[in-house]
Amino acid sequence: MKLRFVQVILSGLLLFILSGCTFIQDPVSLMKRPELPTDKATLHGAIQSALQKKKLASGSIIRPRSDVDSSSIRIHDLDNDGIMEAVVFYQTPDEEVKIHGMIMQQQGDTWVKKLDFEGEGTVLESFDFVDFRNDGSVDIVAGFSRGDENLQNLLTVYSFGGDSLEKSAPIPYTHFDIGDMNGDKTKDITVVFLQQKEMSYISTYQYDKFEGAFIELDKLDLGTSIESYYNVVAGKVAKDKEGIILDASVVSDSSYSKVIIMENDQFIDVLQDELLTYKELPIESEDVNDDGILEIGMLTKPAGWEERFDMDQIPFFTTYYQWDGIIREAREQEGLQFQLQRYYDMTNRFFLDFPPDMFNKITITPESNKNSYLNFVLTETGESVAEIKFFTLAQWAEAEAGWEVLVKEKSRIIAYRSMVI
């Protein structure tokens, strides 16, 4: 038993150095950005010339703050007519509208300005191209803010028609995702909006060709107790279910997670009861086992630590569960199925995953300290199977054999070793 476990932990245990965790409050690029069809310098020169005519310097061009793709100039055939357009945003600090956009169009070997358009707020948060009509044309989707997390962000969609640009009514958001929430094979916009401790809701909008505008498919009230959404992630939430998971902070560091799906253009809060996913500290939902389905993380005290309540000292296990895809009438814990258990260093230095068949069979000795020494043992026998230890540089120079470097910091080494008997 002991030998088998150690062999598994040595071959399958994931030990990673983490540099930090982030979430897209605005979505990543949905399309591959095409290569410039002509020399980049030609396009850049045409943009600079257009800015100079407006008495603006080259430094007026701005990049989106939150995007994975931080390019300031992006190229696409916006109206699907075979002619490429370039889109760029720039600052106009002396005007009432502080952000503007510009569309340039390729004409032979040069670029010509087609039009300028107005942005919102003072900060360009995100900038993307999305086909909302399934016709090959794309809209410009831009998120704006005023640079303060507590103020309202606005999401705007611009539709280019060759010689004109139509601007949608701005949609307030705290987080947004572009996907297919209702499963009809057409892109839609899902926004999560929060006014701290006052109101919160989730809404999905889809372009309606008969209305010629984005209409709200549904809106779900999320309550008034939420302090923040520290993580919002969209994707598969069960084997055959697309949805979104909201990780919400409510009181101090305590939090819970909601799983939201849409059926027949109506939202469903599939877990209903926040107590099912309550945790004392924030844990981000993610796909931890790389099966393409998102998991919800919850905190578990190691066996022997049940009577300890000093939260800063407890070396919690993080246990991840997956919703089984069954919509129930009332709260039922069996709807959450165990997937993986992890020891996660809360300061993002490392984590380690345990084999699924060792769930509830490992604990951490009571004399362990999560900032100096951790001893992982079998719950039934107390036999040590792995250790993590923090060494000063002087201690590391004299460390006995068997220790392997996990994290190397400026003044110390975090190392681990597994015991084979």
Side-chain angles (χ1 to χ4, degrees), residues 83-247:
I83 301 173
M84 302 301 291
E85 283 82 31
V87 181
V88 62
F89 285 87
Y90 58 94
Q91 293 175 324
T92 51
D94 297 330
E95 298 182 15
E96 182 178 353
V97 177
K98 304 299 182 185
I99 294 179
H100 281 78
M102 180 191 304
I103 296 179
M104 308 289 291
Q105 190 175 73
Q106 182 190 11
Q107 294 184 6
D109 294 331
T110 188
W111 291 83
V112 176
K113 189 179 86 168
K114 292 294 292 184
L115 53 83
D116 293 287
F117 58 94
E118 294 184 349
E120 304 283 345
T122 59
V123 176
L124 176 65
E125 293 288 344
S126 66
F127 168 24
D128 208 349
F129 297 124
V130 183
D131 182 355
F132 288 112
R133 299 168 179 78
N134 287 336
D135 62 359
S137 63
V138 297
D139 292 328
I140 303 165
V141 184
F144 302 94
S145 75
R146 296 191 179 277
D148 188 324
E149 294 180 359
N150 294 320
L151 294 178
Q152 177 176 282
N153 298 339
L154 293 173
L155 185 69
T156 306
V157 179
Y158 303 89
S159 302
F160 180 66
D163 294 310
S164 62
L165 195 72
E166 180 181 342
K167 179 181 179 181
S168 72
I171 301 172
Y173 77 95
T174 302
H175 301 266
F176 78 86
D177 178 77
I178 295 176
D180 182 14
M181 193 70 179
N182 64 350
D184 67 349
K185 310 302 181 183
T186 301
K187 296 294 183 185
D188 49 39
I189 302 171
T190 298
V191 302
V192 179
F193 181 79
L194 171 67
Q195 285 184 349
Q196 191 179 65
K197 294 292 187 177
E198 294 184 17
M199 65 176 294
S200 181
Y201 61 81
I202 182 172
S203 297
T204 292
Y205 298 83
Q206 190 168 57
Y207 183 80
D208 187 306
K209 63 181 180 180
F210 300 107
E211 296 286 340
F214 285 86
I215 62 170
E216 186 177 70
L217 298 181
D218 196 21
K219 182 176 182 178
L220 178 66
D221 182 11
L222 297 173
T224 61
S225 64
I226 299 165
E227 290 186 349
S228 69
Y229 290 104
Y230 62 88
N231 184 44
V232 177
V233 60
K236 281 192 175 296
V237 295
K239 185 176 181 181
D240 298 312
K241 301 284 187 180
E242 295 284 335
I244 191 165
I245 300 181
L246 312 176
D247 295 325

Side-chain angles (χ1 to χ4, degrees), residues 362-381:
I362 302 172
T363 188
I364 300 173
T365 57
E367 65 271 14
S368 294
N369 183 311
K370 64 181 183 179
N371 291 311
S372 59
Y373 174 75
L374 292 161
N375 187 12
F376 299 88
V377 301
L378 296 178
T379 304
E380 289 186 359
T381 65

Side-chain angles (χ1 to χ4, degrees), residues 28-34 69 76 128-131 136-138:
V28 299
S29 178
L30 299 176
M31 297 182 179
K32 183 179 179 181
R33 187 165 54 92
D69 180 358
H76 210 290
D128 208 349
F129 297 124
V130 183
D131 182 355
S137 63
V138 297

Side-chain angles (χ1 to χ4, degrees), residues 6 18 33 48 81 100 116 120-121 149 155 179 251 286 304 319 337 363:
V6 175
L18 300 183
R33 187 165 54 92
Q48 294 306 319
D81 64 352
H100 281 78
D116 293 287
E120 304 283 345
E149 294 180 359
L155 185 69
V251 178
E286 57 181 312
T319 307
Q337 300 179 335
T363 188

Side-chain angles (χ1 to χ4, degrees), residues 329-346:
E329 294 297 324
R331 55 170 289 186
E332 294 185 41
Q333 186 71 41
E334 58 263 33
L336 294 175
Q337 300 179 335
F338 168 78
Q339 298 295 312
L340 181 146
Q341 191 166 64
R342 164 178 295 174
Y343 176 77
Y344 190 98
D345 176 66
M346 291 297 179

